[in-house]
Amino acid sequence: MGDPREPPEGAPDGGSGSDDEYRSVVFDESFVRAARIQELSARERLANSFGRATRPRIRLGPLGTVPRQALALLLLILLAFSAAVYFGISAPNRPTARPEGSQLTVSLVALSPASAVRPVADPAAPFAALAPGYSDGAIGLGTPAGAATEHFSRIEVTKALDTVQRYLVASSLAPTALIQGATADVRAFVTPGEQAQFDTSVAQPVDDRHHALTGWVVRFDPGQVALAADSVKVAGAMRIDEADSSTLQITTDHTFVYALKPAGAPNGAPVTLETVRRQLTFQFDRVDLASAQLRLVDSVLQAGPAPCGGSQAGYVQPLLAGTDGAPAAGAQPVDPGNHAHPAWQVCGVLAGS
């Protein structure tokens, strides 16, 4: 057998066949034809193409290399974060900060008598001569059934109405508030954003349109008067609206009639009817509804018989039987039981029954 290093047709004439001798020799055509060439089939090429796949990597300088999929994921996260920041800043319907500070506006209207105040005919039945349409206590509030508005469900409206009714009972009907000076039960209904204003109104009531305690609660000075009857007569209604798409608004307009006598007077003493009209505007957002609290934003109080020149900020100051009240010059007759007219006045003359 020949040397495998020799050409297939033998060494050329005159050659020795050594490696040194053929180092610079170019293989001729016969050598090339004799070489075995193997062509891979299509199946083999396809199989081999999956066996050596690699992921291309992107070089990031001294940080090394990062796969393209990781880089794409990072870019996607950055885009999502940027979109969240943009829409969080520019979205027109994002929640606004909840109101804080002085929000309640109070108007106090004294209704002076046209002549000397007269007592009721029968102290044992002080409301006998009262006009029809009044009911006892909470029944007279006329709380309507809850009905859905454009942006609030029936359940949400019902919650708001229930909160308003309980507030009116605590602030207009409960003896603890009317004559004992208690304010904690009323404060419990006030949202945190208004509690500082309420507390200032309790500590330092003043008729500055924002800090009159009688804008929040009806109360009488226990050193001057006492309740002559356990019941309070009430007539009025409530209206449901929306201040905006996120604020439910309820407006109430009620007339309360209280039977009063001088503090410390025995049973059978002369009794005076004090009439107080309260026109209140309440607002609720969904946080208020969930916590059963309310924002009282407007309060108008008419009270009579009362002196036009006296302050009503801390207590409602009634004129009792036998007292003369001097109406202000030019004051017009005002019937606090007539809800067809606005409650706000400067001062008026008590009219009607």
Side-chain angles (χ1 to χ4, degrees):
M1 181 177 296
D3 190 337
R5 291 174 297 178
E6 294 182 358
E9 295 180 4
D13 294 342
S16 64
S18 67
D19 289 343
D20 292 337
E21 191 173 351
Y22 290 100
R23 187 176 301 277
S24 60
V25 176
V26 178
F27 294 125
D28 60 10
E29 184 179 356
S30 63
F31 184 92
V32 174
R33 284 198 307 267
R36 182 184 177 192
I37 300 176
Q38 181 178 0
E39 179 71 20
L40 295 176
S41 67
R43 184 184 300 276
E44 290 171 325
R45 288 197 303 271
L46 185 60
N48 289 338
S49 66
F50 290 100
R52 303 186 52 163
T54 59
R55 284 194 185 130
R57 294 176 179 265
I58 298 176
R59 184 169 297 278
L60 297 178
L63 299 177
T65 59
V66 177
R68 286 186 179 178
Q69 289 184 350
L71 183 61
L73 180 60
L74 178 61
L75 291 175
L76 183 61
I77 293 174
L78 290 175
L79 287 173
F81 178 79
S82 300
V85 171
Y86 172 79
F87 287 111
I89 295 175
S90 61
N93 293 324
R94 67 183 184 277
T96 57
R98 303 195 72 216
E100 299 286 339
S102 296
Q103 300 168 55
L104 173 61
T105 300
V106 181
S107 298
L108 303 178
V109 183
L111 302 178
S112 63
S115 59
V117 179
R118 292 180 296 178
V120 299
D122 183 1
F127 304 112
L130 197 64
Y134 287 86
S135 300
D136 286 336
I139 298 175
L141 295 175
T143 307
T149 63
E150 183 178 359
H151 299 98
F152 289 84
S153 68
R154 181 184 62 82
I155 293 177
E156 290 173 325
V157 174
T158 300
K159 286 183 178 180
L161 290 169
D162 177 69
T163 302
V164 167
Q165 176 176 297
R166 291 189 293 120
Y167 174 86
L168 291 173
V169 169
S171 65
S172 306
L173 301 176
T176 52
L178 294 174
I179 210 69
Q180 298 174 21
T183 58
D185 289 345
V186 177
R187 188 184 189 274
F189 288 97
V190 179
T191 59
E194 283 190 317
Q195 286 178 359
Q197 184 183 9
F198 180 88
D199 293 341
T200 301
S201 302
V202 173
Q204 296 178 322
V206 59
D207 188 4
D208 64 352
R209 295 183 61 81
H210 295 290
H211 297 97
L213 181 55
T214 48
W216 301 93
V217 54
V218 177
R219 71 172 189 167
F220 304 99
D221 185 350
Q224 301 296 321
V225 299
L227 294 176
D230 294 333
S231 62
V232 177
K233 295 294 184 178
V234 187
M238 304 184 190
R239 187 179 74 247
I240 304 166
D241 295 300
E242 289 185 4
D244 54 52
S245 60
S246 60
T247 307
L248 182 65
Q249 180 168 293
I250 295 179
T251 303
T252 66
D253 194 353
H254 295 94
T255 300
F256 302 86
V257 182
Y258 305 93
L260 304 177
K261 64 180 182 179
N267 292 334
V271 175
T272 305
L273 294 185
E274 179 74 6
T275 304
V276 176
R277 179 182 176 187
R278 301 186 79 191
Q279 192 176 73
L280 308 175
T281 301
F282 303 92
Q283 291 183 349
F284 300 81
D285 60 21
R286 287 181 168 82
V287 176
D288 300 329
L289 292 172
S291 61
Q293 292 179 308
L294 48 79
R295 280 178 283 146
L296 179 56
V297 297
D298 191 73
S299 174
V300 181
L301 180 139
Q302 294 178 347
C308 274
S311 173
Q312 306 273 342
Y315 297 101
V316 175
Q317 300 283 359
L319 292 174
L320 298 180
T323 307
D324 285 328
Q332 298 298 313
V334 176
D335 179 2
N338 184 357
H339 296 168
H341 291 83
W344 189 88
Q345 307 284 334
V346 175
C347 184
V349 177
L350 182 61
S353 56

